[in-house]
Structures are given as C-alpha cells and as structure tokens.
Amino acid sequence: CALPICAYKLDPDDISIAYQFAEAYVAMNDIESAVALIRKAYQRNPQETDFLIYIGDVYRLDKEYDRSAGAYREAQIGRASCR
C-alpha cells in the first residue's frame, strides 16, 4: 500500500492527508479521482468549504470552466450558510 493511501485509510478525517492524496491524483492527471476524494472528504467535513474551492481550482486547471464555476458557487453558498 502506498504511503498516502495507507495514511488516508487509517485516518480519513485527516484533511491534510486528503489534500496530499488528491494532489497525487492531479499530478497523475486523474482529475475525477481527485475530485471524488475531495468530495468524500467534504461530506465528512461539510464545514470545510475550502474543499469546494480546491475542486474549483482543479477543474480550472483542467480547463473545465463551467464545473469550476459550479464548485466555487457551491463554496460561496456553503460559506454563507455557516454564518
């Protein structure tokens, strides 16, 4: 088992591990796996709207501008509901 994968399996609530694992997917150009992982982390930690901003950033880098804008809007709504 690769170290980031094992670490994430041991502690799926560790936000920093989720980001590191997602970054590894992005580096391998596996955008959908990165987004799926971060979405799962967001579901476990819905107060962490930065996950949605990260998803928007990943889609923007992949030139998926509509999807990027949707993630940014979702983050903005999430932040507004936390106030």
Side-chain angles (χ1 to χ4, degrees):
C1 172
L3 186 57
I5 296 170
C6 290
Y8 186 71
K9 286 181 179 178
L10 289 174
D11 189 1
D13 292 325
D14 187 325
I15 293 169
S16 66
I17 294 172
Y19 278 118
Q20 290 174 18
F21 198 17
E23 282 294 310
Y25 277 132
V26 170
M28 294 184 297
N29 203 33
D30 188 349
I31 302 305
E32 293 307 316
S33 292
V35 169
L37 177 81
I38 294 297
R39 283 240 177 245
K40 184 182 287 186
Y42 175 66
Q43 288 171 350
R44 295 177 73 88
N45 303 283
Q47 74 283 0
E48 294 293 335
T49 55
D50 286 347
F51 283 132
L52 298 172
I53 293 170
Y54 179 83
I55 290 170
D57 291 347
V58 168
Y59 280 141
R60 183 178 44 80
L61 289 172
D62 199 39
K63 296 181 176 37
E64 293 281 344
Y65 300 118
D66 289 339
R67 294 171 93 180
S68 176
Y72 291 141
R73 274 192 299 277
E74 191 177 348
Q76 188 176 28
I77 291 167
R79 284 186 172 169
S81 68
C82 289
R83 291 180 183 172

